[in-house]
Amino acid sequence: MSENKHIEAQDQENSAMQARGEPESVMLPPVDIYEDANGFTLLADLPGVTRERLNIQVDGNDLTIEGEAAIDMPENMDALYADVASTRYQRRFTLSSELATDDIRAEMKDGVLTLRMPKRAELQPRKIEVSAG
Amino acid sequence: MSMIRYNPWDIFDAVERAFVPQGVQNSAEKPANWVPVVDIREEEDKFVISADIPGVKPDDIDIQTENKVLTLKGERNIENKEEKEGYIRRERISGSFERSFRLPDVADLENIEAKYENGELHITVPKRKEAAARKIEVKH
């Protein structure tokens, strides 16, 4: 289930940073990915990230999701108890060339990002009409 | 802005200890599937608990106080029958969540407010007026 040639998560770099305890490390948002006949849908949990603070980039076959959670922390105030170590999210994926990267659509709602990635038109199922002879 | 990790051994942590999560309390009920992560900050007149609960309708979040223990719980159902078949990666958590906090004595239990925004739940616990910081004059 974790291995998929269409959308491959590139998490190594980030895990390595976290293992070294680097303060600048970012959080990997959890994602769900599912496939249907026409393409793929990716859902990512990015609580606290608004549309303005979300950055989705496609460079060739590389998909990068970046977001920053807005914390309206007043000056000179310290968090008493912080489970969330960082407020920056980032995750990279490698997409297969079967996906129509120009047609990726994104929607952000209640801290959940939905990315719709259609397969290339020539790879989508087509119904072929049988003409009456 | 600086964030401080909770340190149970800090001698100045009277208030922090008051906020130590209570965990799932009702053993009679089905235990929660997951525990939302929270930040808690103190301001002059209030405490603000911020919990990450993305993709949940505000109506599905239940916040209660009982004996100075604040409990937030609810259900996050992200399963969708049509989508079920083609999953190739499933990391997002689903199901019931619960988390409890023992509130400090200064908490004004009557005026707690909650707001859901961008997948984050912000619970504001005001401090009682008589408990707010006051400057005491030193006479001489």
Side-chain angles (χ1 to χ4, degrees), chain A residues 92-110:
Chain A
R92 289 199 182 89
F93 299 89
T94 302
L95 308 176
S96 87
S97 46
E98 286 174 34
L99 298 178
T101 48
D102 293 340
D103 291 329
I104 295 177
R105 277 180 296 122
E107 192 196 335
M108 190 72 186
K109 190 174 181 286
D110 290 340

Side-chain angles (χ1 to χ4, degrees), chain B residues 90-139:
Chain B
R90 294 203 69 172
E91 299 171 348
R92 295 163 73 231
I93 210 147
S94 181
S96 60
F97 60 86
E98 181 168 341
R99 195 153 185 189
S100 299
F101 304 91
R102 185 172 298 282
L103 299 176
D105 287 338
V106 298
D108 179 356
L109 303 178
E110 304 298 317
N111 292 301
I112 297 175
E113 284 175 19
K115 192 174 74 172
Y116 185 72
E117 206 177 27
N118 300 319
E120 279 182 331
L121 176 70
H122 302 284
I123 304 171
T124 305
V125 182
K127 294 179 188 174
R128 282 185 285 113
K129 286 249 159 44
E130 62 270 28
R134 246 177 308 168
K135 191 170 166 56
I136 288 137
E137 290 280 332
V138 179
K139 289 177 183 166

Side-chain angles (χ1 to χ4, degrees), chain A residues 27-41:
Chain A
M27 292 197 288
L28 288 180
V31 301
D32 286 352
I33 302 169
Y34 61 87
E35 179 179 8
D36 57 39
N38 300 316
F40 293 83
T41 302

